[in-house]
Amino acid sequence: MAHMGTPCVTKVGTMNSRARLSLLLCLASFAGVLLTGLLLAFFAQPSHRVRWDLSNHSTQTLSERTTRALTALPAESRLTGFFFQEEEHLLRNGAAVYPQAFSRLRTLLEDARIQTGSNLTVLQLDETTDMIQVEAEAVRLQREPGEILFLESKGKIQRLSFPDLFVTTDPTADGQPARIRQEQVDTSLGNAATLLIQEHFPHIWIIQDPTVPLSRDLFPFLEGQGFSPQTVQSLPSHQEGDLLLIPGQWKPFLPSLAAEVSQWVADGHPTWISLGFNAPPGVISWWNEVLLPQGFAFLDGLVCEPISTSTGSAAVGTPDCGRLEIRPQSLSAQHPATRFLTSRSRSYLFAGVRPLDFRGGSNDYTRAPLVRTRTNAWVENPEHPDFQPSGHEAKGVQNLAMAANRWNPNGNAPGRLIAIGTTLLFQQDHFPFSKDFLAATFRWLAKGKEGDVGLVPLHSIPFRPSRKEKVRMANIAILGIPGFTFLFALVIFFRRRR
C-alpha cells in the first residue's frame, strides 16, 4: 500500500507545480503586454520621441534654429501646405522637380508637427484631398498660384512660394529637364516663424533716386529678413533698429533733405550708402564731407581686375574687367558683418565699383574694410577707359566696401555705417548674386550682431576641391576601389581552393 501511494503524491505535486508555473507565465505575459502598452502610449507623444538623423551632415531634419522658432509660436498656430504642380516649365521633359520637392516638404512638415508638439497644426493638401476643402482653404488664405506653404499665428500669415523653398534650373533647349539646384526650406520656414513672433519690425527708410532702378525682388527680400522697407522723401521719426538706405544717387539732395540726412549720420543712426563709379562729383564731394568723422571717403575711378580664362591665364582689355568676382578670401574675417560669410565658399559679383579709402576720422569711430580686391587690381579712368593697367593708374589692393562703428554706442544711435562703391547690388541683374552679403550687413546695421540669415543646408554649399584632392579622389575611384575588389576576390578564390 505504501508503495502504491508514493506515485500519487508525486503526481499531485507535479500538477501543482505546473499550475503555479502556468499562472506565473500568465501574470508575466499580462505584465509584459501592459508594460508594452504603456511604453507605446508614452512614446506616441511627440515630446517623448527620440530621433536619430543618420544622413550626412544631419541635413534630413529641421535645424535647431527653425525648431526653436516654430516651438515659440503661440498655441493653435497652423502650417498649411498646398502640394500642386502648377508651374509648367518645371514639368517639361519629364522633370522630377515636383515629386522630389513635395516628398522633402512632407518629411519636414511632419518633423515640424512632431517637434512642436500640440502648438502647431499641420495640414497637407494635394490632389487626393477633397477639393471642397482645398478650395475653402485657398479662399481663406487668399492663395495665389505658386504659393506652397502658409504659416499662421494670431491672424498673421507668412506665405512661402516654390522659389522661396527651392532654387531650380530651367529646362534647356536641348531637352534637359529642370532640376533642383538648392534647397532652402529650413531657412525660409525659420525666417517665417521668426517674423511671426517678432513684435517690432525695424524700418529701412529708402531714399531712392528715380533714375536708379531697384530690383523688384528687393522689397520682398527685405521683408523676408525681418525689415519693413519704405521709400521716403524725408526722414520720419525712428525707433531702435531702424536704418537709412541710399541705394544710389545721381542728383544732389534738396537742402531740407540734405540737412536731415547729414544730421542722421552725425547722430550715429544706422546708415548704408551706395555710390557707383558714375555718381556726379558734387554728390561724391558732399558725401565725403559728411563721412569725414567716420574716417573714409569715396575715390574716383572704376576698379578693374584681370579676367581669369579657361586656360588659367589672365586677360585684360575688355569691359568685363569691371565685373569683379569677390571670393570669400576678399571679405573681412574679423568684422561681424562679413565674418561668417568667409566660411561659406561662395563668390559674390561686384560690378561698376568705385574705390574707397581711409580719410580723416575721429576717435569716436572704428573703421574697417569689408570687401577688398586682389593684388592685381587697378583703378581705371572711366572717362577714357581702355581696361588695361597703365603707369598713371593706381594699382594693388583696393577697398570696395568699408564699415564704421562708434566706440561707445548709445540707444538709438549705435553709430554703425557701411559705404560701398557700387549701386548694381540692388538692381535686377546683379541682385541675385548679392543676397547673402546684403542680408548679413543689414542685420549688423540693425542689430550690431553677426549676420544670421538662417541655417543653410550643407548640401547646398558648393564643394570646390583643390587639384590635389581631385587627384586623390580619382585614384580612389579608378584604382583603389576596383583594386580592393579584385584583391578581395583573389583571397576568397584561393581560400575556397584549399
Side-chain angles (χ1 to χ4, degrees):
M1 294 292 291
H3 178 75
M4 294 296 293
T6 303
C8 294
V9 174
T10 305
K11 185 175 182 179
V12 171
T14 302
M15 291 178 62
N16 290 338
S17 299
R18 288 179 178 177
R20 288 195 298 270
L21 182 59
S22 299
L23 179 61
L24 183 61
L25 289 175
C26 289
L27 291 175
S29 300
F30 178 76
V33 170
L34 180 62
L35 179 62
T36 302
L38 292 175
L39 288 175
L40 290 176
F42 178 81
F43 287 110
Q45 301 296 322
S47 58
H48 296 152
R49 297 181 188 178
V50 178
R51 177 174 178 174
W52 289 275
D53 186 354
L54 302 180
S55 63
N56 291 336
H57 311 300
S58 299
T59 58
Q60 300 305 311
T61 184
L62 294 174
S63 67
E64 182 181 354
R65 169 185 178 267
T66 300
T67 301
R68 186 168 57 249
L70 290 172
T71 306
L73 291 173
E76 301 181 358
S77 299
R78 291 170 60 91
L79 180 57
T80 306
F82 290 82
F83 300 136
F84 296 93
Q85 304 181 21
E86 297 175 319
E87 299 188 39
E88 192 273 336
H89 73 283
L90 297 179
L91 301 173
R92 298 176 195 163
N93 306 329
V97 169
Y98 276 120
Q100 294 174 1
F102 289 166
S103 175
R104 176 66 172 155
L105 280 174
R106 291 180 187 279
T107 300
L108 292 179
L109 292 190
E110 181 62 16
D111 190 30
R113 184 189 69 82
I114 293 173
Q115 297 287 355
T116 57
S118 59
N119 273 17
L120 187 65
T121 300
V122 177
L123 178 62
Q124 302 185 27
L125 306 173
D126 54 26
E127 295 176 349
T128 64
T129 310
D130 182 5
M131 295 309 297
I132 296 178
Q133 182 185 9
V134 174
E135 184 64 22
E137 289 293 326
V139 171
R140 183 181 67 84
L141 296 168
Q142 300 180 357
R143 177 180 181 264
E144 297 290 338
E147 293 178 336
I148 304 295
L149 294 183
F150 293 81
L151 185 60
E152 306 172 69
S153 177
K154 289 188 175 181
K156 297 187 293 185
I157 301 177
Q158 287 291 315
R159 309 165 186 270
L160 300 176
S161 62
F162 194 86
D164 295 329
L165 305 172
F166 298 94
V167 178
T168 60
T169 59
D170 291 333
T172 61
D174 60 357
Q176 292 293 328
R179 289 185 174 88
I180 296 177
R181 189 180 67 186
Q182 178 181 341
E183 177 194 319
Q184 46 196 21
V185 180
D186 181 85
T187 301
S188 298
L189 192 57
N191 288 344
T194 302
L195 292 178
L196 287 180
I197 61 179
Q198 188 171 337
E199 296 182 359
H200 167 63
F201 299 118
H203 287 89
I204 293 185
W205 309 117
I206 302 176
I207 300 179
Q208 181 183 359
D209 191 315
T211 58
V212 181
L214 299 181
S215 170
R216 61 177 177 268
D217 299 323
L218 176 60
F219 275 50
F221 166 76
L222 295 176
E223 292 170 352
Q225 296 299 320
F227 297 102
S228 178
Q230 183 178 345
T231 303
V232 296
Q233 298 300 322
S234 62
L235 296 182
S237 59
H238 54 272
Q239 303 182 46
E240 184 175 355
D242 294 349
L243 59 94
L244 174 65
L245 170 61
I246 313 293
Q249 183 182 350
W250 283 17
K251 296 180 180 180
F253 291 137
L254 295 175
S256 58
L257 181 58
E260 291 181 353
V261 172
S262 178
Q263 190 62 46
W264 174 285
V265 175
D267 290 341
H269 301 303
T271 311
W272 171 297
I273 308 117
S274 290
L275 298 177
F277 76 96
N278 52 0
V283 172
I284 296 297
S285 61
W286 185 85
W287 273 110
N288 286 346
E289 183 179 351
V290 172
L291 297 177
L292 196 61
Q294 278 75 16
F296 45 75
F298 292 95
L299 306 182
D300 295 329
L302 173 65
V303 180
C304 294
E305 284 184 344
I307 305 171
S308 298
T309 63
S310 57
T311 60
S313 60
V316 297
T318 68
D320 286 338
C321 292
R323 296 166 58 89
L324 310 179
E325 180 187 2
I326 304 302
R327 300 176 181 177
Q329 298 85 347
S330 298
L331 302 175
S332 173
Q334 286 76 38
H335 200 279
T338 53
R339 181 185 298 132
F340 86 104
L341 295 176
T342 60
S343 62
R344 300 183 68 173
S345 301
R346 293 187 178 180
S347 298
Y348 303 90
L349 177 63
F350 280 43
V353 192
R354 70 165 57 237
L356 294 92
D357 204 357
F358 297 99
R359 180 179 297 176
S362 66
N363 292 330
D364 293 336
Y365 288 89
T366 63
R367 55 204 55 85
L370 293 184
V371 183
R372 296 179 128 182
T373 64
R374 289 171 287 179
T375 56
N376 56 357
W378 75 93
V379 180
E380 188 74 26
N381 182 357
E383 296 182 359
H384 306 286
D386 59 0
F387 299 102
Q388 296 186 19
S390 59
H392 63 277
E393 294 172 342
K395 300 183 183 64
V397 177
Q398 307 295 326
N399 299 316
L400 308 181
M402 303 186 75
N405 191 22
R406 182 174 282 173
W407 279 106
N408 298 310
N410 57 333
N412 293 341
R416 293 186 290 270
L417 185 143
I418 288 179
I420 188 167
T422 178
T423 62
L424 297 181
L425 295 179
F426 301 98
Q427 298 183 21
Q428 191 64 37
D429 293 338
H430 298 79
F431 177 71
F433 303 97
S434 314
K435 289 183 177 180
D436 284 355
F437 178 79
L438 294 176
T441 50
F442 278 135
R443 293 266 178 132
W444 175 76
L445 279 175
K447 301 180 180 180
K449 299 179 180 178
E450 185 166 338
D452 175 18
V453 294
L455 179 68
V456 177
L458 290 179
H459 56 74
S460 70
I461 298 177
F463 175 55
R464 296 187 176 90
S466 64
R467 181 175 180 83
K468 184 177 180 180
E469 291 171 333
K470 290 180 180 179
V471 172
R472 186 182 298 120
M473 289 188 292
N475 291 337
I476 293 175
I478 299 174
L479 301 176
I481 296 177
F484 176 78
T485 305
F486 180 72
L487 181 61
F488 187 67
L490 284 179
V491 172
I492 295 177
F493 173 76
F494 285 113
R495 288 183 64 86
R496 292 191 64 180
R497 293 201 53 169
R498 290 180 183 177

